[in-house]
Amino acid sequence: MKTEYSEKLFAKANELFPGGVNSPVRAFKGVGGTPRFIARARGSRIWDVDGNQYVDYVGSWGPLILGHCHSAVMQAVQDALREGASFGAPSPREIRLAELVRQRMPWIQKMRFVSSGTEATAAAVRLARGFTGRDDILKFDGCYHGAADALLVKAGSGVETLGLPDSPGVPADVARHTPTLPWNDLAAVVRLFRDRGPSIAAVITEPVVGNMGVLAPNPDFLEGLARVCRQHGALFIVDEVMTGFRVGAGGACGRFGVTPDLVTFGKIIGGGLPVGAFGGRADVMDRIAPAGPVYQAGTLSGNPMAMAAGTATLEQLSAASYAKLEDLSARLAEGLAEGAREAGAAVKVNRVGSMLTVFFSGEPVFDATSARRCDAKCFGRYFHAMLERGIYLPPSQFEAAFVSVAHSVEDVELTIAAAKEAFAEAMKG
Ligand SMILES: *Cc1c(COP(=O)(O)O)cnc(C)c1O
């Protein structure tokens, strides 16, 4: 496979951007090698600058549930652009998208649009603190909620309830207010609330984890979190930036039947353009400025092109779309598991809806500790063997692959055939 031009551009990019990229995981650090520079995309396929074609399972990390360049989304964005790229004043497209969101998720009584998932979760955390008058936010080890200070924290071993910053530049005083627990461990949450319940403003979680690879919630976990929050006067924030409109029309809350206080969105809600949103209970949302005292603002919030892309995307997503995604993804997961068995590779394929991860582990993977036990080196070899065969997977063991409505049965069969060889190659070491 020719990669000369990608290599040349990556050398140049390294002189311009730290690590050669504008977001870390794109740099292939988790798998080694040179990232491909992408020239164009359509449907389920992407093409790199050297002319190689791939079946794409990244989908811009989740937003492109309709595949690349869907005609309805392109038309909507072009129409919006023609009328003006941004006004900095209210415009009708914000109302259309908000009504679509509320139709599908009636627990979102009021919402605010922002420009990224990171902004949405940071604002939701500030709002929860402002609403409750408390400072602590409980998050779970391995869950990613964007790159804001308060959420860049995971547990240090042995001091799991003592927040330690994950990155230089995050003050210890900030991290101190983010206690962290193992995901899927409701008993630990109950214990933490017994100890310091009155100081906890909110619990924030990914309802299905995508940012540790795909992890499914235990049957009572999400409902249990909602219950503990209610008992202790804390807010339950469900971070649906990845799962919203992905695992079903009602997102994960709809799929699992849980009632959140606040929800955060990003990715699909912007149809591939930069967008995020947070929303939920009207009495909580009315504490946001200018209705209330908790400040939040954004020059490009509710941007007309982003609103148009999000609206067109949600309008295209029917019950039939989700049935197709479920069916294709199940086929893919089963084919991958079978291919691994044939090659003698110990893997666990975790899947919820159209999110899936092949974990190189013989044991069940259900939290950060069991995910970290996986053989990431073996995943790296598998990743490159797939890339060589024209299958573009997320370049890390700890990320979710996404199936889109644009993927076909042929794409899935091609992927399974490639994986049979890739598993065998990965096992050779
Ligand atoms: C991607 C993601 C974010 C951050 O969204 P950005 O738009 O990248 O800032 C937050 N939470 C979850 C669950 C995500 O998957």
Side-chain angles (χ1 to χ4, degrees):
M1 184 174 271
K2 210 170 128 269
T3 59
E4 275 169 42
Y5 195 23
S6 275
E7 278 162 37
K8 221 162 115 182
L9 289 177
F10 193 48
K12 193 166 274 183
N14 268 295
E15 293 168 13
L16 294 164
F17 313 119
V21 291
N22 286 297
S23 193
V25 75
R26 298 177 193 171
F28 276 27
K29 287 275 188 229
V31 293
T34 305
R36 305 295 192 262
F37 276 67
I38 305 306
R40 66 194 173 87
R42 182 156 291 259
S44 63
R45 306 297 173 110
I46 54 175
W47 286 264
D48 69 20
V49 290
D50 288 285
N52 304 303
Q53 183 185 151
Y54 307 89
V55 181
D56 178 28
Y57 289 99
V58 174
S60 189
W61 299 97
L64 300 177
I65 194 167
L66 301 178
H68 296 273
C69 300
H70 189 283
S71 57
V73 177
M74 289 204 297
Q75 190 61 54
V77 174
Q78 281 164 10
D79 291 349
L81 175 59
R82 208 172 297 116
E83 290 163 14
S86 179
F87 312 123
S91 81
R93 284 194 171 84
E94 297 157 54
I95 293 184
R96 276 206 286 284
L97 180 54
E99 283 184 330
L100 279 180
V101 171
R102 207 171 55 174
Q103 253 169 38
R104 283 159 178 72
M105 305 177 177
W107 48 92
I108 312 288
Q109 294 169 329
K110 285 194 175 178
M111 71 202 85
R112 171 157 292 175
F113 291 117
V114 294
S115 296
S116 72
T118 291
E119 245 188 280
T121 53
V125 162
R126 180 181 301 150
L127 174 56
R129 287 172 164 158
F131 181 82
T132 58
R134 303 171 178 183
D135 285 340
D136 293 351
I137 304 291
L138 170 60
K139 79 174 280 294
F140 296 97
D141 188 8
C143 282
Y144 178 65
H145 303 294
D149 279 1
L151 296 167
L152 268 190
V153 179
K154 67 177 182 199
S157 61
V159 285
E160 65 178 18
T161 62
L162 194 81
L164 295 173
D166 228 12
S167 161
V170 176
D173 277 349
V174 172
R176 191 162 60 80
H177 291 293
T178 311
T180 316
L181 288 173
W183 198 66
N184 254 337
D185 188 349
L186 188 58
V189 175
V190 171
R191 280 197 301 275
L192 183 76
F193 267 93
R194 210 177 288 142
D195 290 348
R196 57 196 272 191
S199 69
I200 299 175
V203 174
I204 186 168
T205 190
E206 289 183 73
V208 172
V209 180
N211 289 292
M212 210 47 213
V214 174
L215 312 177
N218 290 338
D220 188 39
F221 183 60
L222 298 173
E223 189 45 51
L225 292 181
R227 193 172 53 237
V228 175
C229 285
R230 262 196 313 276
Q231 281 165 0
H232 291 270
L235 297 184
F236 183 36
I237 306 175
V238 179
D239 182 357
E240 296 237 39
V241 170
M242 187 183 288
T243 54
F245 313 102
R246 162 67 62 185
V247 298
C253 288
R255 186 175 175 122
F256 297 107
V258 292
T259 307
D261 297 302
L262 289 176
V263 179
T264 52
F265 297 106
K267 300 189 172 129
I268 290 175
I269 203 175
L273 272 76
V275 87
F278 62 104
R281 274 168 50 186
D283 63 322
V284 179
M285 288 303 292
D286 279 336
R287 302 303 297 270
I288 285 281
V294 179
Y295 198 69
Q296 193 287 325
T299 301
L300 293 177
S301 294
N303 174 263
M305 287 184 290
M307 297 294 103
T311 301
T313 299
L314 296 198
E315 281 172 349
Q316 291 295 315
L317 287 169
S318 61
S321 316
Y322 289 107
K324 178 187 175 178
L325 287 171
E326 203 64 53
D327 178 56
L328 268 185
S329 309
R331 243 178 218 255
L332 178 59
E334 281 157 27
L336 292 172
E338 191 187 309
R341 260 195 310 277
E342 279 174 23
V347 310
K348 288 276 178 283
V349 182
N350 280 9
R351 178 184 77 85
V352 177
S354 53
M355 299 165 54
L356 66 99
T357 298
V358 174
F359 284 107
F360 284 79
S361 172
E363 304 299 318
V365 181
F366 55 90
D367 65 5
T369 305
S370 50
R372 288 191 191 107
R373 254 184 240 132
C374 291
D375 187 341
K377 287 225 164 57
C378 201
F379 175 86
R381 293 193 295 271
Y382 166 74
F383 168 84
H384 280 290
M386 291 294 269
L387 195 65
E388 281 296 314
R389 289 166 178 77
I391 311 292
Y392 191 87
L393 299 172
S396 163
Q397 170 70 96
F398 305 110
E399 296 286 355
F402 299 104
V403 176
S404 80
V405 177
H407 284 78
S408 63
V409 172
E410 296 73 56
D411 287 334
V412 166
E413 296 302 331
L414 211 67
T415 306
I416 293 169
K420 283 189 176 150
E421 297 175 9
F423 283 126
E425 216 171 291
M427 294 311 288
K428 275 192 244 143

